[in-house]
Amino acid sequence: MDKSREQSTDILEQVLSDTLTEDEKNSYTETLFDSIRHINEYGIEFWYARELQEALGYKQWRRFESVISKAKDACENSGNIVDDHFANIGKMVDLGSGAEREILDFQLSRYACYLIVQNGDSRKRVIALGQTYFAIKTQQQELIENFESLSEDKKRLAIRNEMKVHNKSLAEAANMAGITEPRDYAIFQNKGYQGLYGGLGRKDIHVRKGLKKSQDILDYMGSTELAANLFRATQTDEKLRKDHVIGKEAANQTHYEVGCKVRQTIKDLGGTMPEDLPTPEKGIKQIEREQKKIAKH
C-alpha cells in the first residue's frame, strides 16, 4: 500500500471512531476527502473513483461501479453532460513480477462525487459524512462562481465559509513557524487584526461592534470587511510559508505587517477603513438558518 493510501486509510479509521466529537469528525472528514483530491495542470480539481471507493469504505469495485452508474443517471437527468463530470480513464496496475493490467477508473468532478455519495449506501457512516462534505463544498463553489449576482447575505456567507477554510491553513502555517499553544495563536491572530484595524485588537473590535461575549466578530462583518480579512489571512499564510518564517515574534510581526499593508491598500483606493464599516444586524448563523429553510421549500 502506498503512502497516500495508508494516509487515507488512517484518516478513514479516525472518521469512523466512536471517540471523536462531532467537530472532530467533521474535521477528519474534510481531511479525508481533501487528501485524495487532485489538481490538474489547468488548476481544476478532481478525484479518482478508485481512491474515492476506498475512502467510502467499498471493498468491491463492482458494487461501487453500480453506485457510479446511478450517479451518472442522476447527472444526465439534471441536464448535465455526463462526460464533463465522469471522465472515463484507464489505469495500469502492477500485478507483480513486472506484469501490468489496465483497469477502469474515472476522473470525477466535485459534482460527480456529490452525486455518488447521494446514491451510496446511507447505512455507511462515512457516506453520510461524505454527503454533508460534498453538499457544503458544492454549494460553496456555486456561491463563488456566481458571487457578483449574490445578495449581501449570500456574499457574507460565501466569504465567511472561505475564511473558515483559510484560517485552518493559516493556523497550520503559524504552527510550522513555531506557534503551537492556543494562547500564542490568539496573540498571533490579534496582531493581524491590529495591523488591519489601525491598532484595534479582537476585543476592541468586539466592543466597537457592540457584540455579546459569545458572538464572533467574523460572524458580524459585512462582505467588504470580510473580504479585507480574507485577504489578510491568505496573504499572511502565503508569506509565512514562502519566506519560511520561524519564531513566534517573527510570525506575529509578519501578520501585523500584512494587516498594515492591506489597510494601506484600502486607504490608497479611497475605501472605508474596516473599523468604520457598519455592523450587520444578522449574524452568519442566522443567515445559515434562513438559507436552510429556503432550501427545504
Side-chain angles (χ1 to χ4, degrees), residues 8-269:
S8 61
T9 301
D10 290 344
I11 298 169
L12 177 57
E13 289 175 359
Q14 292 284 357
V15 169
L16 299 178
S17 170
D18 291 324
T19 62
L20 298 180
T21 66
E22 202 59 36
D23 284 345
E24 286 171 333
K25 281 182 184 176
N26 291 335
S27 178
Y28 273 112
T29 300
E30 186 160 324
T31 302
L32 171 65
F33 294 116
D34 282 352
S35 72
I36 58 171
R37 182 170 64 103
H38 301 269
I39 305 291
N40 67 17
E41 65 270 28
Y42 304 107
I44 298 172
E45 64 178 5
F46 69 92
W47 284 259
Y48 285 117
R50 295 276 179 173
E51 293 178 346
L52 185 62
Q53 171 201 346
E54 292 188 16
L56 293 176
Y58 279 87
K59 302 296 183 185
Q60 298 178 327
W61 171 253
R62 63 180 180 82
R63 291 188 182 278
F64 191 61
E65 195 173 12
S66 70
V67 178
I68 293 175
S69 180
K70 291 177 183 176
K72 283 182 174 181
D73 289 341
C75 183
E76 186 173 14
N77 293 336
S78 298
N80 292 291
I81 299 172
V82 174
D83 288 345
D84 287 350
H85 299 280
F86 300 80
N88 195 331
I89 62 170
K91 181 181 288 186
M92 301 303 293
V93 293
D94 186 6
L95 299 177
S97 302
E100 289 185 324
R101 177 168 63 90
E102 187 175 30
I103 60 172
L104 175 65
D105 202 352
F106 296 93
Q107 281 189 5
L108 307 169
S109 69
R110 177 181 285 160
Y111 179 59
C113 294
Y114 168 72
L115 292 177
I116 286 171
V117 293
Q118 290 299 322
N119 285 278
D121 185 351
S122 58
R123 293 171 297 180
K124 293 177 179 284
R125 195 188 317 172
V126 70
I127 288 284
L129 293 168
Q131 288 172 349
T132 302
Y133 170 85
F134 284 109
I136 290 172
K137 294 293 183 180
T138 300
Q139 183 186 46
Q140 287 178 3
Q141 188 63 31
E142 288 173 350
L143 288 173
I144 293 167
E145 289 174 354
N146 301 294
F147 188 77
E148 290 306 318
S149 62
L150 298 179
S151 66
E152 170 63 11
D153 281 353
K154 287 189 175 181
K155 283 182 179 179
R156 288 177 61 203
L157 192 58
I159 303 172
R160 183 67 180 96
N161 283 328
E162 284 296 297
M163 277 296 304
K164 290 177 182 176
V165 173
H166 288 291
N167 271 340
K168 284 184 181 179
S169 182
L170 178 59
E172 182 185 77
N175 185 270
M176 290 165 60
I179 296 176
T180 57
E181 299 299 322
R183 182 179 179 276
D184 291 333
Y185 187 69
I187 293 170
F188 168 76
Q189 281 285 43
N190 215 43
K191 288 293 182 180
Y193 284 123
Q194 288 173 339
L196 179 56
Y197 286 80
L200 300 178
R202 179 189 286 272
K203 288 184 179 179
D204 302 314
I205 300 166
H206 200 276
V207 171
R208 195 178 182 102
K209 288 180 175 291
L211 301 179
K212 296 176 183 177
K213 191 174 182 180
S214 61
Q215 293 173 321
D216 190 326
I217 58 175
L218 288 168
D219 287 345
Y220 287 86
M221 293 182 183
S223 62
T224 301
E225 190 176 354
L226 276 168
N229 279 279
L230 178 60
F231 190 51
R232 165 188 57 77
T234 56
Q235 295 307 300
T236 302
D237 185 356
E238 183 177 340
K239 190 167 180 60
L240 288 175
R241 295 173 190 270
K242 185 180 67 176
D243 294 354
H244 305 291
V245 175
I246 298 295
K248 297 175 188 177
E249 292 302 320
N252 289 343
Q253 186 63 25
T254 297
H255 204 179
Y256 177 77
E257 288 175 358
V258 171
C260 288
K261 286 180 181 178
V262 175
R263 183 178 180 85
Q264 186 61 45
T265 300
I266 295 170
K267 184 178 180 181
D268 292 343
L269 294 172

